[in-house]
Each structure stands twice: as C-alpha cells, then as structure tokens.
Amino acid sequence: MKIERPKVAIQGIRASFHEEAAIRYFGENIETIECNSFKQTFESLKKREADYVVMAIENSIAGSILPNYTLLLDYGFPVVGEIYLPIQLHLMALPGVKFEDVKYVTSHPIALRQCVDFFDEYPHLKIVESSDTAACAKRIRDEQLTDTVAVANALAAQLYGLDVLERRIESNKRNFTRFLIMTQHDNVEKKPANKASLCFQVSNKVGALAKVLNIFAEEGVNMSKIQSMPILGKRNEYNFYVDVEWEEQKQYDASIRQILKYTHNFNILGEYERHDDEPTTTPKPNRTERSTRKYINIRRNV
C-alpha cells in the first residue's frame, strides 16, 4: 500500500540524524512523529499514530545498539528496509557569535566523543552533555545562547537558523549509522528482497551454532551481521540476530528450510532490499581561520 505522505516515528526531534535518515529513505514529503524513546516509536506504530518507524541499530564506531534488538523481537513489526547514513558533525552557533567568545559546547555524549580530536585543541571549552544533537541546536535558538555552540548535523543548523562555525569536526570521516525501517504487517509492499534479518535460538551443545552458519555458507548466502543477546532469566541461552544477503532467492529459501531443523523460536524479522549505495565523504575543510582564534584558559569540565 503506497502512502503519499507517510507518518514516520523517530527517537528525538526534527533535524536529528533519525529524521535525516527518514528523509533519505522516504524523501522530504513525510510527517515526522517525534518520540522521547525508541520504545515510544514502536508504541506510536502500534497505535497507528505512525505508518513507519526509523530506528538506529548500529554505528560503525560505537557498535550495536543492543536494547533495540529486543524491541524488534518484542513488538514483531516487520523490517522493510534499511539506510546507511554518514555521520557528519558540525559546530554551530547563533548568527554573529564569534568562536573566541564561546564557553560551552553541548551535544549528545556519543557525538561529543566522536569529535574528541577537535576539542582537544580547545581545552577552554566546557563540555555539556545532552540527550539529543538536534535538541541542543534548538535550545541555542530558543534561549538565544551567545556563549554556547552545539554539535549537530547540517539539517539542524538549517532548521534552527544557526551558523556553522566549523564543518566536519568528527575525528573519523568514515563514520556511518545503519537505520532499520519498520511498519505494520498490513502495510508491507511486496518487493524483491536480497537481504533478511533473522532471530533464532540453538541448543546449548557443541557445534550447534556452527551447524546453522555452515548451512548459510554451503548455500552461498552471505552472513553480514551476527549479534547475540542473553535471554532474560535463562542461563546460557541466547537469541542470535543474524543478517543475511543473497544473489538468488533459491539460495535463501534453501538455507531457511534447512536451518529450521536445527533452531527453535525462529523468527524472520524482515525481508527487504539491502542498501547498496556506496557512502561518500567530503574532504575535510581548510581550517585557515582556526589559527587566528584566541585561546581562553578556562579548565574544561568533562
């Protein structure tokens, strides 16, 4: 079922990386449903207040977001797509604010850690952690803070009317986050698939998991991701979350038929088209202006 202007639930507010991922996947003609937590996004979909959920599942630096795997299994909404988003972080402030007058920098703690090399050059800046990158940009706009800069994406600077003082301050220019797209079962469009997200358990015996993984290999199905999660209250028992990719449907079908014999509580979380676009990065900007900035000897508050 084609929805002309889908309602997309995200964790965070407008101009967050979740909304940027949603726009890249669906286009700009969406209605963003802002939620305070990942669980709230699923509740929004459950109540049909939203048509889709866009949720981060892993980052190339920070790794997997483990609680989100549990949400996938608990709610059972099918995964219908994925998007890889390059994480590009910029330093932004109210128009007219000069860098030498700034005392505080605020952002999500993970974003701040990803810019540690930049901030090591400016020990006078006091670090203030917050729950959301875009919310920090919005707060600067709303409260007209002239002594504070935010670390967020270009979308936040545009939406909240901030000037970008420094672009691409993240230490690792090959930093990407993978987002999954979920929807209601009755909203799934039948499309050709070449990737699937699976969840299953195996017996606690020697070689039980290896037997399953060997089936994928024998059928020519590539396992692109495996993540284990302990089952609450059960010693030595785990859910295995696996992403697999294939070139021909018959490879995938044959592997599923076989591994059903060696697994229990088997779930297909979603079958969808993998995101094949090669992520690109832009060169680091020339920082000729940085050498002219004044240092202020104020101890950094970590």
Side-chain angles (χ1 to χ4, degrees):
M1 180 176 65
K2 181 71 173 177
I3 301 175
E4 291 299 324
R5 190 168 186 263
K7 298 177 181 178
V8 183
I10 63 167
Q11 186 274 325
I13 68 171
R14 291 199 59 201
S16 65
F17 284 107
H18 275 83
E19 187 183 50
E20 185 177 352
I23 291 173
R24 292 207 179 199
Y25 187 85
F26 293 102
E28 294 186 359
N29 188 29
I30 63 172
E31 180 181 341
T32 301
I33 308 297
E34 300 176 348
C35 299
N36 294 325
S37 67
F38 288 115
K39 182 176 182 179
Q40 190 178 336
T41 65
F42 280 84
E43 285 293 321
S44 179
L45 182 58
K46 182 180 179 180
K47 297 173 183 176
R48 296 188 179 269
E49 298 167 349
D51 302 308
Y52 295 92
V53 165
V54 172
M55 179 182 73
I57 197 68
E58 62 181 302
N59 176 264
S60 57
I61 295 176
S64 298
I65 305 174
L66 297 181
N68 288 358
Y69 282 96
T70 302
L71 289 173
L72 285 175
L73 193 59
D74 287 349
Y75 281 86
F77 293 121
V79 180
V80 294
E82 66 176 359
I83 188 79
Y84 284 85
L85 182 71
I87 303 301
Q88 300 179 358
L89 296 166
H90 313 299
L91 199 71
M92 57 195 67
L94 285 174
V97 168
K98 297 180 180 179
F99 185 83
E100 55 264 30
D101 297 328
V102 171
K103 298 178 181 178
Y104 306 97
V105 56
T106 181
S107 192
H108 189 280
I110 293 179
L112 292 167
R113 286 199 294 273
Q114 291 172 355
C115 303
V116 64
D117 292 340
F118 177 87
F119 294 121
D120 280 347
E121 298 181 31
Y122 302 101
H124 71 278
L125 292 176
K126 293 183 178 180
I127 305 299
V128 180
E129 295 183 351
S130 185
S131 60
D132 186 82
T133 55
C136 293
K138 183 176 183 294
R139 177 171 170 260
I140 289 176
R141 192 275 312 271
D142 291 347
E143 300 181 17
Q144 292 292 294
L145 301 178
T146 58
D147 61 351
T148 304
V149 291
V151 176
N153 60 11
L155 191 61
Q158 178 182 351
L159 182 63
Y160 301 117
L162 303 183
D163 284 349
V164 175
L165 301 182
E166 192 80 33
R167 295 186 179 275
R168 302 301 306 277
I169 66 171
E170 70 274 9
S171 300
N172 190 321
K173 298 299 184 288
R174 299 291 295 175
N175 180 14
F176 303 93
T177 295
R178 178 186 176 216
F179 296 81
L180 298 179
I181 290 82
M182 282 73 63
T183 191
Q184 293 275 358
H185 286 275
D186 57 9
N187 194 35
V188 176
E189 296 181 61
K190 293 294 183 181
K191 292 182 178 180
N194 55 13
K195 187 170 184 176
S197 294
L198 313 173
C199 180
F200 55 82
Q201 300 167 26
V202 297
S203 61
N204 187 23
K205 296 180 181 179
V206 174
L209 178 60
K211 185 174 292 186
V212 173
L213 302 185
N214 283 335
I215 291 172
F216 287 131
E218 291 166 1
E219 294 296 335
V221 174
N222 177 48
M223 185 181 66
S224 59
K225 168 85 175 182
I226 183 169
Q227 180 70 55
S228 64
M229 288 280 289
I231 299 175
L232 187 64
K234 296 185 178 182
R235 184 180 177 186
N236 296 328
E237 293 190 34
Y238 296 84
N239 281 319
F240 292 95
Y241 296 85
V242 174
D243 290 336
V244 294
E245 304 173 356
W246 60 90
E247 296 302 324
E248 297 183 20
Q249 184 69 32
K250 62 182 181 180
Q251 298 172 300
Y252 170 68
D253 293 340
S255 66
I256 295 300
R257 284 196 298 268
Q258 294 180 64
I259 67 173
L260 283 173
K261 304 173 186 176
Y262 304 102
T263 62
H264 55 277
N265 293 332
F266 181 88
N267 285 277
I268 297 177
L269 301 176
E271 298 169 342
Y272 48 94
E273 185 177 1
R274 66 175 175 258
H275 182 203
D276 282 331
D277 290 348
E278 177 65 24
T280 58
T281 58
T282 55
K284 201 171 185 177
N286 190 330
R287 296 180 174 173
T288 55
E289 294 182 0
R290 182 180 298 179
S291 60
T292 66
R293 293 172 178 163
K294 298 179 182 178
Y295 285 73
I296 305 173
N297 292 323
I298 302 177
R299 291 185 62 187
R300 178 182 179 185
N301 179 23
V302 180

